[in-house]
């Protein structure tokens, strides 16, 4: 993905997180509530083949994000953020509004398959959105500053991102490393 496109997606994700989560005094641990408050119905399903899906609820007239009930909370959180990415990037959905005109209401809007699915450019974009939504640049900047000021080590920074964002260690490590590289910060081995 080109740096410019990544930066645009990251900015949209950061603003979305502000609008849905941080400005409403939610955090990622209560992401389900935060997403529901913004006008989306969150549901759970049991199935071995999917992580999550997005569809339109014609009765309630709102989008539904459904996630796999059997998966760990970190993974369910990522699936919610992923489907939210489809809703915002692909369907131009705006949180806290009734902008449902462009939806094809009879269809499942998106299905995220269990791991192993071939990454399309659309999925890569939406995964970037999900990571940047759960771990916004503003959070990474704050934590990078703490590392630069030697308040915490690089390893502690990753632990901190992991617990604040409610993501896996792998996701936190990957995004933080990328962030540091893009900002030209050489703090990995300090
Ligand atoms: Zn997807």
């Amino acid at each position: 993905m080109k740096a410019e496109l990544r930066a645009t997606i990251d900015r949209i994700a950061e603003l979305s997180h502000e609008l849905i989560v941080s400005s409403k005094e939610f955090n990622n641990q209560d992401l389900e509530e935060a997403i529901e408050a913004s006008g989306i119905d969150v549901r759970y399903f049991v199935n071995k083949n999917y992580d999550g899906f997005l569809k339109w609820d014609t009765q309630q007239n709102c989008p539904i994000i459904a996630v796999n009930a059997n998966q760990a909370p970190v993974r369910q959180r990522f699936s919610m953020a992923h489907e939210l990415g489809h809703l915002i990037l692909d369907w131009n959905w705006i949180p806290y509004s009734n902008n449902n005109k462009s939806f094809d209401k009879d269809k499942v809007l998106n299905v995220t398959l269990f791991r192993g699915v071939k990454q399309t450019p659309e999925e890569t974009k939406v995964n970037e959105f999900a990571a940047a939504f759960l771990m916004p640049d503003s959070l990474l900047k704050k934590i990078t500053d703490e590392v630069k000021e030697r308040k915490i080590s690089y390893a502690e920074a990753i632990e901190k991102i992991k617990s604040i964002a409610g993501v896996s260690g792998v996701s936190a490590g990957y995004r933080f490393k990328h962030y540091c590289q893009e900002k030209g910060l050489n703090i990995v081995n300090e």
Side-chain angles (χ1 to χ4, degrees), residues 42-54 64-71 76 79 83 111-112 114:
V42 177
R43 295 190 196 168
Y44 292 84
F45 63 89
V46 177
N47 182 297
K48 283 186 187 146
N49 302 313
Y50 308 111
D51 279 337
F53 64 82
L54 176 68
I64 295 173
I65 287 177
V67 294
N68 194 315
N70 290 335
Q71 289 174 352
Q76 290 176 337
S79 298
E83 298 305 336
V111 174
T112 302
F114 201 59

Side-chain angles (χ1 to χ4, degrees), residues 52 82-83 86 90 110-113 120 122-124 126-127:
H82 179 101
E83 298 305 336
H86 278 294
D90 302 346
N110 179 69
V111 174
T112 302
L113 295 168
T120 62
E122 283 72 31
E123 289 304 289
T124 306
V126 171
N127 282 330

Side-chain angles (χ1 to χ4, degrees), residues 2 7 12 27 75 94 113 124 134 139 146 177 185 190:
K2 289 210 174 101
I12 295 168
N27 55 52
R75 185 131 169 212
I94 296 170
L113 295 168
T124 306
L134 295 171
L139 170 69
E146 289 178 29
K177 191 176 153 196
L185 300 165
E190 277 183 24

Side-chain angles (χ1 to χ4, degrees), residues 74-126:
V74 286
R75 185 131 169 212
Q76 290 176 337
R77 207 169 280 128
F78 201 89
S79 298
M80 281 181 212
H82 179 101
E83 298 305 336
L84 183 67
H86 278 294
L87 202 51
I88 291 173
L89 298 178
D90 302 346
W91 299 92
N92 303 319
W93 187 81
I94 296 170
Y96 287 95
S97 78
N98 233 345
N99 53 347
N100 53 35
K101 293 184 189 73
S102 62
F103 294 102
D104 189 345
K105 294 175 183 173
D106 300 323
K107 282 185 185 159
V108 169
L109 306 175
N110 179 69
V111 174
T112 302
L113 295 168
F114 201 59
R115 72 182 97 189
V117 72
K118 203 177 149 218
Q119 282 278 342
T120 62
E122 283 72 31
E123 289 304 289
T124 306
K125 275 197 257 177
V126 171

